[in-house]
Amino acid sequence: MFDNKKDFKETFERRLVEKYGRTVPDSHITERYDILGEMVRDFAGREWRASREEILDKNRRQLIYFSMEFLMGRLLTSNMQNLGIYEVARDGLSELGIDIGELEDMESDAGLGNGGLGRLAACFLDSIASLGYPGHGNTIRYEYGFFRQKFRHGQQIELPDQWLSNGFVFEVRKPKHAVEVKFYGEAETFIKPNGEYGLRTRNATCVRAVPYDVSIPGYRNGVANSLRLWSAEPSEHHLPTDQTFESYLQTLKELCHGLYPDDSTEHGRMLRLRQQYFLVSAGLQSVMRSTNTRYGNLDKLADLYVFQLNDTHPILAIPEAMRLLMDEYGYGWDAAWEIVTNLFAYTNHTVMPEALEKWPENYVRQLAPRVYMIIEEINRRFNIYLNEKGIGGAERYAMQIIKDGQIHMTNMAIYTVFSVNGVAKIHTDILKNWTFKEFYELFPTKFNNKTNGVTHRRWLMYANPRLSALISSKIGEKWKTDFEHEIGKFSAFADDPAVQAKVMEIKAENKRDFAAFVQKAYGFSIDPDSVFDVQIKRLHAYKRQLLNLFHIIHLYQKIKEDPSFRMTPHTYIFGAKAAPSYVYAKKIIELILAVAKVVNNDPDVNKYMRIVFVENYGVSLAELIIPAADLSEQISTAGKEASGTSNMKLMMNGAVTIGTLDGANIEIADFAGEENEVIFGLKADEVQSMVDNGTYSPWDVYNSDMRVKNIMDSLFSGPWCEGDQNRFRMIFDEIMSRNDQFFVLADFAAYNAACERADELYQDKKRWAHASIMNIGQSGYFTSDRTIAEYNRDIWRLGELQPKTTK
């Protein structure tokens, strides 16, 4: 490999000749990128091997993190930075006449995730490795990601995300670790060689699950873990006899085609279930097989491994683990149950009961008949336990695993796992006191909070090098490895005029960078001196992009009605994808784009505000937007957002939060000081009280606030309707006829006042700079390193690796 610039150049040139038969001058940029990627992957391979050897030599306990998505972003730069080879590579390439930035831009965002859930999982992998813990992700190798968003004729359309079109240089295919996953068939009784009865599945459709491993290097500590991507291939020994091979191949292709298939159809829902079972069965089989090979049994499986279930999607791992232990490894129910109940921990990511996953009994019975039998038995034994505790009536019904023809996955998880955690203080309190109240009263010691965090390495050190350099110049370098405790020292400079000026200068440079991107990508200009007002997150009604947009419409109407009206210039920046089957969310996107078209092309208005809706929002765009953001829109309905993570990334980069007391916003305001944020709106208990008592009607707001009436009426008659009064009727009906489920109108007046307060704060440059620096300096709690340390202390109990790498 290489350890200096000279070695790097020689290795790069040699590999280019060996693989492509080309010298540097006559090589193509794709060839150069591929060679650099392979060199980075192989450099990490040394740490990968050393970490694996220490795990095996010392019987280290390991974490398997099951998640349906990992929104990794680009890996080239972050891996080089974590490995400490970025400067060597950059300088070596420069001497070869190659700009490393051009190669970095060649990389596609890995299409393995969609929103906050997947980005959180990616941050966790970075922190797990950087803290030296042996922990590995498991997900599916989606060939076409979620989707590539395009805006055509003012609407979102979904195209395949062909992120693998040029290969994925960081993955290593490992066919020797392949396993077979069985779908469908029938469960039958048979007599074991020892004369006992057993159960097995016959006539199943077998799929070969092949792993592709991606190394996840920690930050300059010699540790490298794995992200394992499972891919479906034809079985080598058990091809189906009841369908054609072409039909069988189509079934396999569907499994790994894309993330979150359309669940508006029965076929799509069943495909989601098949994906979930494929992932957990493959991951469990791999771990159990290797453990049994090494130790001769699985008696100590729960000592050697812990499985974290990230949200409801991987909960089928629980009955599948029971099936494997009993049917494949000969354990009785009690012995298997003892292992399983000490093996799994569960993270909840939603407080809304309607969002908790449940599956029709017939789906699971058809897809995995033996697993369904085990779920029935878990439910039966749980009811015996409830009888022993004297629990009946409504409490018993609320906790049922199988009821009304549905299998309630979260109920099964809470009964089985040894740990249930929420992801922000308010979220966990709501889980305890409302969503899972009955379970909390029954199993209080299982519940705990682990407030989310984000990796400061990607979101501050690498995304915002100008600010990182300033921080290091003032407080030294220790913050890079101990962000939680060291970044707070930067708060001491909150009132230092020179530091204030430098922070604002860096923000201005980052804003100019984003403005240049907008000009190049979308062909219109934005004012870098305006407030960059940012709302970047998955499009969902409870996240209330609509509240932001209604305020923009209100400002537009004021400008048009009153020629003397003046406002602080704003650039409103949106980034969001709506799920393909989420028609209402897609209609909100259409309205944002329609309003943007009007605003951006009206000379009376566009000198005060412009709207940018970035296309195909993802990690790489976030890395450009977040360092440039002035104002962080975190305006979800109080009590609905579990945590949020864009709020943390924006805070780290000095943005001021305008938000409700929801999710991690509460803790952000606690740390940075509420005077350094702009907090508004109904609180979670007030929202719940209005729901319980039926005291809220959007018509009351409509009839009492002329601003609201004008906004809502504009959905039929505004210039964004382009003469079609039915174009946005759906949005009007959702708010007015379905009682404004997420209290958009209820919070409008408070939000409007909050926006005015934010503008006043922005006009006072010293106060704004103070608030920005306080947000940066008090963001230490929100590093995922802190979150992972808490998970490990309270749940995982992993030892720290200290591998010895060899050159």
Side-chain angles (χ1 to χ4, degrees):
M1 286 304 296
F2 59 91
D3 294 290
N4 54 58
K5 184 170 59 176
K6 179 176 178 292
D7 288 347
F8 173 86
K9 289 165 59 181
E10 291 175 353
T11 304
F12 186 87
E13 290 178 304
R14 174 175 52 79
R15 286 194 169 204
L16 199 55
V17 170
E18 289 174 347
K19 184 167 185 178
Y20 291 108
R22 293 184 180 274
T23 61
V24 171
D26 65 348
S27 61
H28 190 264
I29 189 171
T30 57
E31 297 166 340
R32 296 172 180 180
Y33 164 75
D34 183 53
I35 294 301
L36 178 60
E38 287 185 352
M39 289 173 64
V40 174
R41 181 197 66 203
D42 293 348
F43 193 99
R46 301 185 303 179
E47 300 185 354
W48 213 1
R49 185 188 69 180
S51 298
R52 188 163 57 248
E53 287 176 351
E54 183 180 342
I55 290 169
L56 295 176
D57 291 346
K58 298 183 179 179
N59 295 322
R60 295 287 197 180
R61 177 175 168 86
Q62 297 178 75
L63 162 73
I64 304 296
Y65 195 89
F66 271 147
S67 179
M68 289 305 291
E69 53 171 307
F70 288 84
L71 192 58
M72 300 301 293
R74 296 173 175 175
L75 296 181
L76 181 63
T77 302
S78 61
N79 282 6
M80 286 193 289
Q81 294 278 16
N82 278 9
L83 291 166
I85 58 174
Y86 184 84
E87 288 77 14
V88 169
R90 180 196 61 202
D91 296 345
L93 289 169
S94 179
E95 292 189 6
L96 292 171
I98 299 171
D99 180 357
I100 194 172
E102 293 180 356
L103 301 191
E104 290 170 322
D105 289 342
M106 285 299 300
E107 184 178 5
S108 300
D109 281 23
L112 301 171
N114 169 37
L117 183 77
R119 186 53 234 168
L120 178 76
C123 285
F124 278 10
L125 289 187
D126 179 77
S127 286
I128 290 166
S130 294
L131 293 177
Y133 301 138
H136 317 287
N138 266 236
T139 193
I140 291 174
R141 185 177 182 267
Y142 302 105
E143 289 188 34
Y144 297 102
F146 188 43
F147 63 83
R148 183 163 59 91
Q149 181 190 56
K150 296 288 288 184
F151 298 143
R152 289 186 183 165
H153 308 297
Q155 297 176 320
Q156 170 184 292
I157 64 166
E158 301 88 34
L159 301 173
D161 177 10
Q162 296 173 285
W163 70 283
L164 284 171
S165 59
N166 291 319
F168 185 34
V169 70
F170 297 104
E171 69 183 5
V172 179
R173 186 173 184 270
K174 296 189 173 179
K176 72 174 184 178
H177 296 301
V179 297
E180 293 238 323
V181 177
K182 297 179 179 179
F183 297 97
Y184 308 111
E186 306 92 30
E188 69 171 9
T189 305
F190 71 101
I191 299 176
K192 299 179 182 179
N194 62 5
E196 295 178 355
Y197 287 102
L199 281 162
R200 64 189 176 197
T201 303
R202 68 181 186 90
N203 297 328
T205 299
C206 295
V207 176
R208 185 172 184 244
V210 180
Y212 289 70
D213 284 357
V214 180
S215 64
I216 307 294
Y219 183 71
R220 304 184 186 184
N221 63 352
V223 173
N225 292 324
S226 299
L227 170 60
R228 174 157 285 186
L229 313 176
W230 290 100
S231 182
E233 297 183 6
S235 170
E236 290 186 325
H237 307 293
H238 302 98
L239 293 175
T241 58
D242 59 347
Q243 63 181 138
T244 65
F245 187 66
E246 288 72 21
S247 174
Y248 174 57
L249 286 180
Q250 181 60 34
T251 301
L252 300 186
K253 190 171 183 61
E254 280 187 327
L255 267 177
C256 299
H257 182 272
L259 174 66
Y260 300 142
D262 181 358
D263 61 355
S264 64
T265 66
E266 184 168 6
H267 178 78
R269 289 192 295 273
M270 180 61 90
L271 178 54
R272 284 198 181 199
L273 186 62
R274 283 167 49 207
Q275 285 185 331
Q276 293 175 12
Y277 184 64
F278 174 74
L279 168 62
V280 299
S281 182
L284 284 166
Q285 285 190 61
S286 177
V287 165
M288 289 185 183
R289 185 175 65 186
S290 64
T291 303
N292 188 65
T293 299
R294 185 170 176 79
Y295 298 98
N297 58 58
L298 300 176
D299 295 352
K300 300 294 184 182
L301 184 64
D303 296 327
L304 295 166
Y305 285 93
V306 57
F307 285 78
Q308 189 74 40
L309 307 178
N310 190 33
D311 211 7
T312 58
H313 313 116
I315 289 174
L316 274 175
I318 292 168
E320 174 64 3
M322 289 294 293
R323 183 192 73 81
L324 291 167
L325 287 166
M326 292 189 297
D327 296 0
E328 303 295 332
Y329 293 97
Y331 284 81
W333 181 279
D334 292 340
W337 188 249
E338 177 67 20
I339 293 171
V340 166
T341 52
N342 287 286
L343 190 63
F344 291 104
Y346 163 61
T347 299
N348 173 273
H349 287 276
T350 181
V351 298
M352 296 185 285
E354 66 270 20
L356 298 173
E357 200 165 57
K358 50 188 178 289
W359 291 106
E361 286 184 76
N362 63 300
Y363 279 26
V364 181
R365 187 190 296 117
Q366 177 187 353
L367 182 75
R370 180 69 178 117
V371 166
Y372 174 74
M373 294 172 64
I374 290 169
I375 294 172
E376 283 188 311
E377 182 64 12
I378 292 173
N379 188 57
R380 186 185 74 83
R381 291 178 182 239
F382 182 39
N383 276 284
I384 293 173
Y385 179 81
L386 294 177
N387 286 338
E388 293 171 351
K389 296 292 182 180
I391 296 172
E395 286 181 274
R396 186 192 193 97
Y397 179 79
M399 291 187 284
Q400 287 299 295
I401 295 168
I402 301 177
K403 57 183 174 183
D404 304 326
Q406 303 270 349
I407 299 170
H408 292 251
M409 305 302 288
T410 307
N411 289 1
M412 178 166 60
I414 297 174
Y415 170 52
T416 308
V417 302
F418 68 87
S419 169
V420 178
N421 74 277
V423 292
K425 185 178 184 300
I426 184 176
H427 171 230
T428 302
D429 288 344
I430 292 172
L431 295 184
K432 293 177 179 179
N433 300 321
W434 182 56
T435 312
F436 302 132
K437 180 176 182 292
E438 297 83 5
F439 274 111
Y440 178 61
E441 291 172 352
L442 187 60
F443 303 119
T445 60
K446 288 189 179 187
F447 285 77
N448 59 93
N449 178 59
K450 298 290 174 282
T451 297
N452 282 342
V454 299
T455 171
H456 62 278
R457 284 167 289 276
R458 179 179 286 269
W459 295 109
L460 178 52
M461 288 168 58
Y462 309 153
N464 199 342
R466 295 176 180 124
L467 181 57
S468 298
L470 174 64
I471 293 170
S472 294
S473 73
K474 295 302 176 184
I475 67 172
E477 299 281 335
K478 288 184 180 179
W479 67 275
K480 295 182 177 180
T481 51
D482 188 8
F483 190 80
E484 180 184 3
H485 301 107
E486 291 291 324
I487 193 63
K489 295 176 181 178
F490 194 62
S491 302
F493 298 92
D495 295 311
D496 183 314
V499 175
Q500 286 188 345
K502 187 63 178 176
V503 167
M504 292 299 97
E505 178 188 325
I506 289 168
K507 183 67 71 173
E509 290 183 69
N510 293 337
K511 290 167 73 173
R512 286 193 289 271
D513 287 347
F514 181 69
F517 164 80
V518 171
Q519 181 68 55
K520 181 178 179 181
Y522 306 122
F524 69 93
S525 62
I526 57 176
D527 180 7
D529 294 326
S530 64
V531 178
F532 277 20
D533 192 330
V534 172
Q535 189 173 21
I536 42 174
K537 51 186 77 247
R538 182 168 53 90
L539 203 304
H540 196 288
Y542 82 83
K543 294 179 183 287
R544 300 202 298 192
Q545 284 92 346
L546 207 52
L547 178 59
N548 188 353
L549 184 64
F550 282 177
H551 175 248
I552 295 170
I553 291 174
H554 166 62
L555 291 174
Y556 170 86
Q557 291 173 336
K558 285 188 72 172
I559 293 170
K560 299 301 286 185
E561 291 166 5
D562 181 4
S564 66
F565 174 72
R566 299 291 181 270
M567 61 171 280
T568 303
H570 274 245
T571 298
Y572 295 96
I573 300 167
F574 292 90
K577 289 182 177 181
S581 60
Y582 193 176
V583 177
Y584 179 56
K586 292 173 74 170
K587 183 59 71 172
I588 292 173
I589 288 179
E590 184 179 346
L591 179 59
I592 295 171
L593 293 171
V595 173
K597 181 179 178 181
V598 172
V599 165
N600 294 345
N601 290 288
D602 188 324
D604 294 333
V605 179
N606 62 24
K607 58 188 172 185
Y608 296 114
M609 61 179 180
R610 287 183 180 262
I611 301 172
V612 178
F613 200 137
V614 296
E615 202 171 56
N616 201 40
Y617 175 68
V619 175
S620 294
L621 275 172
E623 290 169 342
L624 190 60
I625 295 169
I626 288 170
D630 292 308
L631 201 57
S632 167
E633 297 275 354
Q634 308 297 331
I635 58 178
S636 54
T637 311
K640 301 301 182 184
E641 182 72 85
S643 166
T645 53
S646 69
N647 46 7
M648 303 170 188
K649 299 163 194 165
L650 287 154
M651 179 195 193
M652 281 181 184
N653 284 270
V656 172
T657 296
I658 178 169
T660 52
L661 288 174
D662 193 28
N665 296 351
I666 296 172
E667 288 146 296
I668 286 174
D670 286 345
F671 278 97
E674 198 161 318
E675 69 278 9
N676 296 309
E677 316 296 352
V678 183
I679 302 300
F680 76 94
L682 295 166
K683 298 179 176 65
D685 58 343
E686 294 170 331
V687 170
Q688 194 58 47
S689 175
M690 292 167 78
V691 171
D692 293 342
N693 298 321
T695 55
Y696 173 61
S697 169
W699 288 103
D700 292 341
V701 184
Y702 176 91
N703 289 319
S704 62
D705 190 332
M706 187 57 67
R707 298 170 302 180
V708 169
K709 182 180 188 304
N710 290 339
I711 292 165
M712 297 308 296
D713 289 351
S714 80
L715 297 178
F716 292 102
S717 58
W720 25 89
C721 298
E722 297 182 328
D724 182 358
Q725 66 176 10
N726 292 315
R727 185 179 181 188
F728 299 113
R729 180 187 297 274
M730 176 189 293
I731 295 175
F732 185 94
D733 288 346
E734 190 70 29
I735 297 290
M736 305 306 299
S737 301
R738 294 180 175 82
N739 212 47
D740 190 12
Q741 180 184 0
F742 296 109
F743 294 81
V744 174
L745 302 189
D747 266 342
F748 176 80
Y751 178 58
N752 190 67
C755 291
E756 291 176 355
R757 296 204 315 272
D759 283 355
E760 290 173 7
L761 181 61
Y762 188 78
Q763 291 302 322
D764 186 336
K765 297 304 181 185
K766 288 186 177 180
R767 281 185 61 215
W768 185 269
H770 171 92
S772 181
I773 293 170
M774 288 301 295
N775 272 278
I776 298 165
Q778 295 302 311
S779 63
Y781 182 76
F782 300 101
T783 173
S784 48
D785 287 5
R786 186 271 314 157
T787 311
I788 292 304
E790 290 183 2
Y791 269 99
N792 193 55
R793 179 193 67 201
D794 300 336
I795 302 173
W796 299 338
R797 298 176 288 108
L798 307 170
E800 188 175 336
L801 295 177
Q802 296 178 325
K804 298 176 181 178
T805 58
T806 57
K807 294 183 180 180

